[in-house]
Amino acid sequence: MYRTHTCGELSASHIGSEVTLAGWIQTIRKFGSINFIDLRDRYGITQLLLGENLTDQLASQPLGREFVIQVQGKVIERTNKNPQLPTGDIEIDVTSYTILNKAITPPFTIQDDTDGGDDLRMKFRYLDLRRQAVRKNLELRYAVNRSARNYLHENHFIDIETPFLIKSTPEGARDFVVPSRMNGGQFYALPQSPQTFKQLLMVSGYDRYYQIVKCFRDEDLRADRQPEFTQIDCEMSFVEQEDILQMFEGLVKRIFKDVKGIDYTDKVARMTWNDAMLQYGNDKPDIRFGLKLANLKTIFEAQSGDASAKAMFEAAGFKVFNDAETVLAISIPGCSEYSRKQTDELTEWVKRPQIGMNGLVFIKCNTDGSFKSSVDKFFTEEQLKQLAGICGAQTGDLILLLAGREERTRKAASELRLYMGERLGFRKKDDFKLLWVLDFPLFEYAEEENRWVARHHPFTSPKPDQIPVMIGNDPVIKDAANYLSHPYANIKANAYDMVLNGNEIGGGSIRIFQRELQEKMFAALGMSPEEAQQKFGFLLGAFEYGAPPHGGIAFGFDRLCSILGGSESIRDFIAFPKNNSGRDVMLDAPSAIDEKQLEELSIKLRN
Amino acid sequence: MYRTHTCGELSASHIGSEVTLAGWIQTIRKFGSINFIDLRDRYGITQLLLGENLTDQLASQPLGREFVIQVQGKVIERTNKNPQLPTGDIEIDVTSYTILNKAITPPFTIQDDTDGGDDLRMKFRYLDLRRQAVRKNLELRYAVNRSARNYLHENHFIDIETPFLIKSTPEGARDFVVPSRMNGGQFYALPQSPQTFKQLLMVSGYDRYYQIVKCFRDEDLRADRQPEFTQIDCEMSFVEQEDILQMFEGLVKRIFKDVKGIDYTDKVARMTWNDAMLQYGNDKPDIRFGLKLANLKTIFEAQSGDASAKAMFEAAGFKVFNDAETVLAISIPGCSEYSRKQTDELTEWVKRPQIGMNGLVFIKCNTDGSFKSSVDKFFTEEQLKQLAGICGAQTGDLILLLAGREERTRKAASELRLYMGERLGFRKKDDFKLLWVLDFPLFEYAEEENRWVARHHPFTSPKPDQIPVMIGNDPVIKDAANYLSHPYANIKANAYDMVLNGNEIGGGSIRIFQRELQEKMFAALGMSPEEAQQKFGFLLGAFEYGAPPHGGIAFGFDRLCSILGGSESIRDFIAFPKNNSGRDVMLDAPSAIDEKQLEELSIKLRN
């Protein structure tokens, strides 16, 4: 061993000991013939004192930043103690040193506030990883990993590895594929998730399975998506939805406790998907704050909004609202005195292409009891007052109203709500609020192909009372124009998403475990029986040999870590991430391969 | 939850309780109007008693093997207790049952001694996984996983995930590659190991890293190799060989303790590679028993064997030995009375194509003090006696002698030794003996290309005292005929293999951490500086910014589990293994993919 102690462990109790340390030179400070060095390793920083005895050696073997050195010396008491540092009471009076490895000047500073840009830090990721900020992130990631494993172990889950070289069954996302050399012309796929394997393990009787496992999706990368990502993947047998919710809110609470020291004693909130969409415009609402949407007018899921609001819009003859599918309002407390500049700013904000609205209507519920709006020429003050009442606004509120096509308007209202929440300081990093979103629609309608698409995935069961609806009806949509009246349109999934501070951190469902129901599902997705057999024959077969009721969940491990670490970016929590083009710029991968390799794999490049 | 208890937890203390169980029907035994059912889940088996009250339901809803049922009933005391079974004191007097899922007749019996052949069991792996024998294997695997993680955690290792989509740098084994859609014509590779990443993590200062991680090698599969396999992969900074040996024999001892309840208090044996080859003919000797080789004549590593033996062979004029490069002997205790039939059998055994010897010479050291051999016409009894002395044989031993070309003879002697060890019952499954094999040669000679090949991998450091030899000499071999006199020929690696009962379970090395030395290594392997930069520029670069001394090890997790589980086959310890053609017969993977997928990936099939 090159050291007797790490750079994080020496304290006053070691004074007088002879020690050997090894690490990196963080800084060198020269005072006449004396040099102070901060020596760094994973565990901390220890101050070294290099006195006159080393002047000659320093002349012939000069030291520099990021050099790796080994030092011998005696632990002495510091004259200037540093209470910020665990080792701040002591320093090492160095008697000799050895340079283990030199370092050239790093391309950026190894500090929390580095001067290195994103690209440079990715190219030299091994240096970026030295920064304490990044190291803390990876340590947090390991702490979450360890906490999750402990909880799951204590709850009788066992880690079972599932294969990475599997079969390509493109549903939804695109598979990464791997040409087989031994089976020329054939391909493996990398798993998008271990979904079917964990279900087979339930059929095999393993009862409680988990894995912290890499998954792969060949999608166009938007910011903060990675082609390879990690899931905490779990499955349980003989359970109903309630069992899963309790088990896995327990998991997240345990992680809060172990990793953040937070006792999350609140009951975890629950909300139907329908309520989430109506009240927050979003299926993963941030419930750290209110600012709920008032649905004045809507076509969402056959809802029509508030009748009195609609009647008033018609009476007022305000074309923008009358022509709109949807009118949504948010009451912002204490903002009735926003200036013209401020309301203009908000108007500009909703008109940005990412939001895409034509404008913003506002009503000020002034503290003097008067009402003032941007649409005063259409609405009387009495009508504004009435509208404020419908919106649930209070004196001092600023009501923001958006109108337009249903989907865009709801999305815009959701974004505006989050923006205002941020602006008003309602979205605190250290405030964590969990939410289960329940009762998702099982299907979406795919207009082009006139068929159903599984909203979650094709293995999700309908709610128990809707199984007969699914079994008893033909999934084929005969009247495309009236697809909403097809019995499948209203089937709810036995599925659940866990949402943390406005981010979906996990999702799962109770699974289909009966062959007949699974066949109905595949048929609804437009698969012929032959195709279903070819792609998922192993699963349909497994359901015939005694499959137990089962369900599970998968957590997005990268995302969970980034939220716990208070960061927007999952990349900060991945040791070697890829950039937005799916490239590892440090390795320079992907890259060309030899013609010989291509030949062995029975493939060639297209021109 | 479908149950109040599992099938493994009810005992006499529960008598009188109303319970609900769920599980699989293992067996049904009918006695008149009463049925006994063994209900199975992961946790155990509980006996159910279905009395007359259920006769009608059984007629309309008959039960069968592997049906999944839920039962309500009362725990009662058994009249015929079964002390073998944890639940053997009780049974459930069933009041009602529900069929959760039916089962058709499985293609083989779900029992330890199943009637299913290998292929059938692989096709229906989800049923094979139900067998207790297989379940115990996967549970053992999880126990090893858990134990390793706990030990490594307690020793300050942190689990850091490294990427799966990396760069293809074919050295040694073939890479699996993944065509990139976003970077047309380019490919990722799947990692053969996280080697370079874990070294970069050391450069980044993570100090102690581990991962239990899938690795991939596209090799022709011989029995018991898998294209994807799992490693316990570890790396440490600021360590020398001794530190690694102690840390990781600690790991294996901990696993013995946690998983097998074995206190491995013996000092772990150590042996040089040279001694292993000379004494056991093998670099992974099974040291549960002796039967060491006597090197009567050899050219191994410039050794020449025993001078007196050679002189005697010449005197005797025994052409077979005189013409042979190598003559090796094994003394088998207590077998001097082997019959002609038995010695013929051994002769046939060494002549099998897998062993490939021309014959076997034997000498019987009879208990009456006489000597008898199959070469009596060449050797006098006095010479035989003298030879027995050289071999270290005792009265009652049977000496087996093999002669021929060095490599084949040594390998044959090693195999013969293992065979005799097996035959004599020296290789007990529950006897575990660990061994470190040390001081491997750093290089092998590649005749065709007249260059060096790294025996371990190109990142292994030479022994500290041989670093100057490597730095100070030109790696190019100018005189191919005398490659053995090149200074590189005698460099030993700072590497170590851990051997358990004749199997290599782990291997590693102290790594090169200096750019200059790494460049010498790449040059020795025949890489131009440009090629080295293109393939490993990131690592060479990293070594310039302050790389610490470091080293590590990787354990073959599948193999380790199979040995601990007392099995020859790693496949028994993998949930979803592939067959010898690299196929998953359950999934039917690999398989053809759509033309559209190929097109997106900018590749096409060769005809």
Side-chain angles (χ1 to χ4, degrees):
Chain A
M1 198 72 85
Y2 284 77
R3 63 190 175 202
T4 56
H5 296 80
T6 69
C7 294
E9 67 180 304
L10 295 172
S11 64
S13 68
H14 296 88
I15 288 167
S17 309
E18 296 288 340
V19 297
T20 305
L21 298 184
W24 287 260
I25 296 178
Q26 176 85 8
T27 55
I28 307 180
R29 297 180 308 281
K30 207 172 158 60
F31 295 95
S33 58
I34 288 176
N35 285 276
F36 287 102
I37 288 180
D38 278 351
L39 191 69
R40 182 193 75 226
D41 68 10
R42 174 182 134 198
Y43 310 93
I45 283 180
T46 299
Q47 181 164 295
L48 309 178
L49 167 66
L50 279 69
E52 281 182 34
N53 56 320
L54 295 170
T55 307
D56 289 352
Q57 191 183 352
L58 283 168
S60 61
Q61 297 175 15
L63 299 175
R65 276 189 166 210
E66 300 304 320
F67 275 40
V68 183
I69 60 170
Q70 183 187 38
V71 301
Q72 284 81 32
K74 187 185 270 190
V75 183
I76 58 173
E77 188 169 3
R78 269 209 222 181
T79 43
N80 280 323
K81 294 202 176 48
N82 180 348
Q84 309 296 335
L85 215 59
T87 62
D89 286 349
I90 58 94
E91 61 193 4
I92 311 297
D93 185 6
V94 175
T95 51
S96 69
Y97 70 84
T98 312
I99 296 176
L100 298 174
N101 220 341
K102 293 182 184 176
I104 58 176
T105 307
F108 50 86
T109 56
I110 312 291
Q111 288 169 340
D112 281 6
D113 52 341
T114 179
D115 57 358
D118 218 44
D119 291 349
L120 198 62
R121 287 190 292 108
M122 282 301 130
K123 184 162 160 49
F124 294 91
R125 181 64 170 170
Y126 49 86
L127 296 178
D128 198 33
L129 286 170
R130 279 189 195 166
R131 295 192 304 120
Q132 178 171 275
V134 184
R135 207 190 66 227
K136 292 280 174 220
N137 290 347
L138 294 190
E139 286 175 351
L140 178 137
R141 186 182 177 106
Y142 175 54
V144 176
N145 179 322
R146 179 88 189 148
S147 171
R149 287 185 189 278
N150 285 344
Y151 177 85
L152 292 167
H153 179 78
E154 289 159 21
N155 283 284
H156 309 294
F157 286 79
I158 81 171
D159 179 344
I160 300 177
E161 293 166 64
T162 53
F164 279 75
L165 298 172
I166 66 167
K167 183 169 172 165
S168 184
T169 51
E171 301 298 315
R174 236 183 250 104
D175 285 327
F176 280 105
V177 298
V178 181
S180 167
R181 182 179 53 84
M182 289 205 283
N183 305 271
Q186 300 191 341
F187 293 77
Y188 301 99
L190 299 178
Q192 296 186 28
S193 88
Q195 183 62 34
T196 50
F197 294 100
K198 65 176 177 174
Q199 292 193 242
L200 291 179
L201 288 171
M202 294 304 107
V203 174
S204 301
Y206 285 78
D207 205 71
R208 294 184 177 195
Y209 143 95
Y210 88 97
Q211 208 180 176
I212 300 185
V213 64
K214 274 280 173 74
C215 302
F216 304 85
R217 277 178 210 171
D218 186 11
E219 292 296 289
D220 294 323
L221 303 173
R222 30 170 222 236
D224 225 29
R225 258 210 218 165
Q226 289 279 317
E228 49 175 312
F229 56 97
T230 305
Q231 287 188 346
I232 306 177
D233 192 50
C234 308
E235 197 81 4
M236 302 172 77
S237 290
F238 299 116
V239 288
E240 291 158 306
Q241 178 178 287
E242 185 60 34
D243 306 307
I244 302 255
L245 301 191
Q246 290 191 15
M247 178 63 71
F248 293 101
E249 60 190 58
L251 169 64
V252 178
K253 286 178 176 182
R254 171 67 168 269
I255 292 170
F256 277 135
K257 179 72 184 157
D258 288 349
V259 177
K260 304 292 290 182
I262 294 172
D263 273 311
Y264 195 102
T265 50
D266 294 359
K267 201 172 147 41
V268 173
R270 296 183 185 189
M271 195 183 289
T272 64
W273 176 82
N274 221 64
D275 283 351
M277 293 302 288
L278 281 174
Q279 296 171 16
Y280 299 89
N282 196 301
D283 62 1
K284 42 178 200 280
D286 184 346
I287 58 164
R288 283 176 295 182
F289 62 101
L291 308 189
K292 288 188 194 174
L293 313 185
N295 285 262
L296 303 180
K297 190 174 169 187
T298 178
I299 59 161
F300 177 77
E301 293 264 297
Q303 312 237 10
S304 59
D306 189 285
S308 57
K310 273 204 298 189
M312 184 194 308
F313 298 159
E314 270 163 38
F318 183 42
K319 197 170 154 36
V320 173
F321 283 5
N322 288 335
D323 290 355
E325 273 180 4
T326 296
V327 180
L328 300 174
I330 314 176
S331 302
I332 316 289
C335 293
S336 64
E337 292 180 14
Y338 261 29
S339 66
R340 175 65 188 263
K341 182 159 170 266
Q342 285 173 304
T343 54
D344 280 358
E345 207 179 286
L346 290 181
T347 305
E348 286 314 304
W349 193 90
V350 303
K351 286 165 93 172
R352 296 181 319 150
Q354 303 94 304
I355 306 297
M357 299 304 292
N358 292 325
L360 178 73
V361 168
F362 63 85
I363 303 171
K364 293 178 171 178
C365 310
N366 296 323
T367 46
D368 63 4
S370 68
F371 291 86
K372 184 86 191 130
S373 84
S374 58
V375 286
D376 279 354
K377 65 175 157 174
F378 295 99
F379 293 93
T380 64
E381 192 162 354
E382 188 47 47
Q383 283 175 320
L384 293 177
K385 183 176 178 181
Q386 204 186 324
L387 202 49
I390 294 169
C391 295
Q394 306 292 317
T395 300
D397 284 7
L398 172 71
I399 307 175
L400 304 176
L401 296 105
L402 293 169
R405 301 280 295 179
E406 168 65 32
E407 203 179 319
R408 175 181 296 182
T409 306
R410 194 163 293 277
K411 197 166 175 309
S414 164
E415 294 292 333
L416 180 60
R417 173 181 173 270
L418 292 173
Y419 176 70
M420 292 310 299
E422 190 71 49
R423 213 175 142 130
L424 299 174
F426 294 159
R427 305 184 72 190
K428 295 196 189 74
K429 269 187 190 176
D430 52 355
D431 182 19
F432 295 98
K433 281 276 183 300
L434 289 167
L435 169 71
W436 285 113
V437 177
L438 305 171
D439 301 350
F440 290 81
L442 185 60
F443 295 107
E444 282 174 354
Y445 177 63
E447 202 172 334
E448 269 181 48
E449 296 146 280
N450 187 42
R451 65 168 177 90
W452 303 107
V453 176
R455 199 182 179 88
H456 188 63
H457 59 48
F459 312 107
T460 295
S461 179
K463 288 271 176 186
D465 59 345
Q466 287 173 309
I467 291 176
V469 178
M470 198 158 150
I471 298 265
N473 286 285
D474 182 352
V476 173
I477 302 157
K478 299 214 170 70
D479 180 5
N482 289 309
Y483 76 90
L484 277 173
S485 61
H486 189 286
Y488 276 34
N490 293 313
I491 296 179
K492 298 288 183 194
N494 206 344
Y496 29 81
D497 274 0
M498 183 171 258
V499 175
L500 175 58
N501 293 1
N503 299 280
E504 183 203 322
I505 57 165
S509 60
I510 298 295
R511 322 299 183 186
I512 296 172
F513 67 104
Q514 311 92 331
R515 180 171 182 135
E516 188 184 8
L517 191 59
Q518 189 66 65
E519 284 174 337
K520 276 279 180 185
M521 171 59 83
F522 289 143
L525 308 183
M527 264 187 239
S528 70
E530 296 69 32
E531 195 186 349
Q533 187 60 36
Q534 191 265 324
K535 287 183 173 168
F536 297 106
F538 61 95
L539 188 68
L540 292 170
F543 286 172
E544 293 194 299
Y545 292 101
H550 62 284
I553 195 166
F555 290 90
F557 186 51
D558 309 294
R559 169 68 55 213
L560 177 60
C561 293
S562 81
I563 299 171
L564 292 172
S567 164
E568 293 285 302
S569 163
I570 63 169
R571 237 184 263 179
D572 296 343
F573 292 79
I574 297 173
F576 299 99
K578 297 193 171 47
N579 73 9
N580 280 348
S581 321
R583 294 199 69 83
D584 184 321
V585 293
M586 179 187 75
L587 298 181
D588 191 24
S591 59
I593 60 173
D594 292 349
E595 179 58 23
K596 181 168 159 273
Q597 277 177 285
L598 292 172
E599 204 173 303
E600 284 184 334
L601 297 171
S602 311
I603 57 173
K604 51 187 171 180
L605 303 182
R606 286 174 195 255
N607 300 319
Chain B
M1 197 73 82
Y2 283 78
R3 63 191 175 203
T4 56
H5 296 79
T6 70
C7 295
E9 68 179 306
L10 295 173
S11 64
S13 68
H14 296 87
I15 287 168
S17 311
E18 296 287 340
V19 297
T20 305
L21 298 183
W24 286 261
I25 296 178
Q26 175 85 5
T27 55
I28 306 180
R29 298 182 305 283
K30 204 171 160 63
F31 294 95
S33 57
I34 289 176
N35 286 274
F36 287 103
I37 288 180
D38 277 351
L39 192 69
R40 183 193 74 228
D41 68 11
R42 175 182 133 198
Y43 309 93
I45 284 180
T46 298
Q47 180 165 296
L48 309 178
L49 166 66
L50 280 70
E52 279 183 33
N53 55 321
L54 296 169
T55 306
D56 289 351
Q57 193 183 351
L58 282 169
S60 61
Q61 296 175 15
L63 299 175
R65 278 188 163 211
E66 301 303 319
F67 275 42
V68 183
I69 60 170
Q70 184 188 39
V71 301
Q72 284 80 32
K74 187 184 270 188
V75 182
I76 58 173
E77 189 170 3
R78 268 209 222 181
T79 42
N80 279 323
K81 296 201 174 51
N82 180 349
Q84 308 297 334
L85 215 61
T87 62
D89 286 350
I90 57 93
E91 62 193 3
I92 311 299
D93 185 7
V94 175
T95 50
S96 68
Y97 70 86
T98 312
I99 296 175
L100 298 174
N101 219 340
K102 292 181 186 177
I104 58 175
T105 307
F108 51 85
T109 55
I110 311 292
Q111 287 169 341
D112 281 5
D113 53 342
T114 178
D115 57 357
D118 219 44
D119 291 350
L120 199 61
R121 287 188 292 112
M122 282 302 130
K123 184 163 160 50
F124 294 92
R125 182 63 171 169
Y126 49 84
L127 296 179
D128 198 32
L129 286 170
R130 280 188 193 166
R131 294 191 307 120
Q132 177 169 275
V134 184
R135 207 189 67 226
K136 292 280 173 215
N137 290 347
L138 295 189
E139 287 175 352
L140 178 139
R141 185 181 177 107
Y142 175 54
V144 176
N145 178 322
R146 180 88 190 149
S147 172
R149 288 185 189 277
N150 285 343
Y151 178 85
L152 292 166
H153 179 78
E154 289 158 20
N155 283 284
H156 309 295
F157 286 79
I158 81 170
D159 179 346
I160 301 177
E161 293 165 66
T162 53
F164 279 75
L165 297 172
I166 66 167
K167 181 170 171 164
S168 186
T169 52
E171 302 298 316
R174 234 181 251 106
D175 285 328
F176 280 105
V177 297
V178 181
S180 166
R181 182 179 54 85
M182 289 205 284
N183 304 271
Q186 299 191 341
F187 293 76
Y188 301 100
L190 299 178
Q192 295 185 27
S193 88
Q195 183 62 34
T196 50
F197 294 100
K198 65 178 178 173
Q199 292 193 242
L200 291 178
L201 288 171
M202 295 305 104
V203 174
S204 301
Y206 285 78
D207 205 67
R208 296 187 176 192
Y209 143 95
Y210 88 96
Q211 207 181 174
I212 298 184
V213 64
K214 274 281 173 76
C215 302
F216 304 86
R217 277 178 211 171
D218 186 11
E219 292 297 289
D220 294 322
L221 303 174
R222 27 167 224 239
D224 224 30
R225 260 213 215 161
Q226 290 278 317
E228 50 175 310
F229 56 97
T230 305
Q231 287 189 345
I232 307 177
D233 191 51
C234 307
E235 197 79 3
M236 301 172 77
S237 289
F238 300 115
V239 289
E240 292 157 307
Q241 179 178 287
E242 186 60 34
D243 306 308
I244 302 255
L245 301 190
Q246 290 191 15
M247 179 62 74
F248 293 101
E249 60 191 56
L251 169 63
V252 177
K253 286 178 178 183
R254 170 67 167 269
I255 291 171
F256 276 134
K257 179 72 186 155
D258 288 349
V259 176
K260 305 289 292 183
I262 294 171
D263 273 310
Y264 195 101
T265 50
D266 294 359
K267 201 172 148 40
V268 174
R270 297 182 185 191
M271 195 181 292
T272 64
W273 177 82
N274 224 63
D275 284 350
M277 293 302 286
L278 281 174
Q279 297 172 13
Y280 299 90
N282 196 301
D283 62 2
K284 43 178 202 275
D286 184 345
I287 58 164
R288 282 175 296 182
F289 63 102
L291 308 189
K292 288 187 194 175
L293 312 186
N295 286 259
L296 305 180
K297 191 177 168 187
T298 177
I299 58 161
F300 178 76
E301 293 265 295
Q303 312 239 8
S304 59
D306 190 285
S308 56
K310 271 204 296 188
M312 184 196 308
F313 298 160
E314 270 162 40
F318 184 41
K319 198 171 152 37
V320 174
F321 284 7
N322 288 336
D323 291 354
E325 273 180 2
T326 297
V327 182
L328 301 172
I330 315 174
S331 301
I332 316 289
C335 292
S336 65
E337 292 180 15
Y338 260 31
S339 65
R340 175 67 189 261
K341 185 162 170 257
Q342 284 173 303
T343 54
D344 281 357
E345 205 178 288
L346 291 181
T347 306
E348 286 313 305
W349 193 88
V350 302
K351 287 165 92 172
R352 296 182 319 151
Q354 302 95 305
I355 306 296
M357 300 304 291
N358 292 324
L360 178 73
V361 169
F362 64 84
I363 303 171
K364 292 177 171 176
C365 309
N366 295 324
T367 46
D368 63 5
S370 68
F371 292 86
K372 185 83 192 136
S373 83
S374 58
V375 286
D376 279 356
K377 64 177 157 176
F378 296 99
F379 294 91
T380 65
E381 192 161 357
E382 186 50 41
Q383 285 176 318
L384 293 177
K385 184 177 178 181
Q386 202 188 324
L387 202 51
I390 295 168
C391 295
Q394 307 293 318
T395 300
D397 283 8
L398 173 71
I399 308 176
L400 304 175
L401 296 106
L402 293 168
R405 302 279 295 179
E406 169 64 34
E407 202 179 318
R408 176 181 297 181
T409 306
R410 196 164 293 278
K411 197 166 175 308
S414 164
E415 294 291 335
L416 180 60
R417 174 182 173 270
L418 292 173
Y419 175 70
M420 292 309 299
E422 189 72 47
R423 211 173 141 132
L424 298 173
F426 294 159
R427 307 184 71 189
K428 295 198 187 72
K429 270 187 189 174
D430 52 354
D431 182 20
F432 296 99
K433 281 278 181 301
L434 290 167
L435 169 71
W436 286 112
V437 177
L438 306 170
D439 300 351
F440 291 80
L442 185 60
F443 295 108
E444 282 173 355
Y445 177 64
E447 203 172 332
E448 267 182 48
E449 298 146 277
N450 187 42
R451 64 168 178 91
W452 302 108
V453 177
R455 199 182 178 90
H456 190 64
H457 59 48
F459 312 107
T460 296
S461 179
K463 288 271 173 184
D465 58 346
Q466 289 175 308
I467 292 176
V469 178
M470 198 158 150
I471 298 264
N473 286 286
D474 183 352
V476 174
I477 303 158
K478 300 216 169 72
D479 180 4
N482 289 308
Y483 76 90
L484 277 172
S485 60
H486 190 286
Y488 276 34
N490 292 311
I491 296 178
K492 298 288 182 192
N494 206 344
Y496 28 80
D497 275 0
M498 183 171 258
V499 175
L500 175 58
N501 294 1
N503 299 281
E504 184 204 322
I505 57 167
S509 60
I510 299 295
R511 323 298 183 186
I512 296 171
F513 67 105
Q514 311 93 332
R515 180 170 182 135
E516 189 185 7
L517 191 58
Q518 189 66 65
E519 284 174 340
K520 276 279 179 183
M521 172 59 84
F522 289 143
L525 307 184
M527 265 187 234
S528 70
E530 296 69 35
E531 195 185 346
Q533 188 58 37
Q534 191 265 322
K535 286 184 173 168
F536 297 107
F538 60 95
L539 188 69
L540 291 169
F543 287 172
E544 293 194 301
Y545 291 102
H550 61 286
I553 195 167
F555 289 90
F557 186 51
D558 309 294
R559 167 69 54 212
L560 177 60
C561 293
S562 80
I563 299 171
L564 292 172
S567 164
E568 293 286 303
S569 164
I570 62 170
R571 236 183 261 179
D572 296 343
F573 291 79
I574 296 173
F576 298 99
K578 296 193 172 48
N579 73 8
N580 280 348
S581 320
R583 294 199 69 83
D584 184 322
V585 292
M586 181 188 74
L587 297 181
D588 191 25
S591 58
I593 60 173
D594 291 350
E595 179 57 28
K596 180 166 160 277
Q597 277 177 283
L598 292 172
E599 203 173 305
E600 284 184 335
L601 298 171
S602 311
I603 57 172
K604 52 186 169 182
L605 302 183
R606 286 174 196 255
N607 300 322

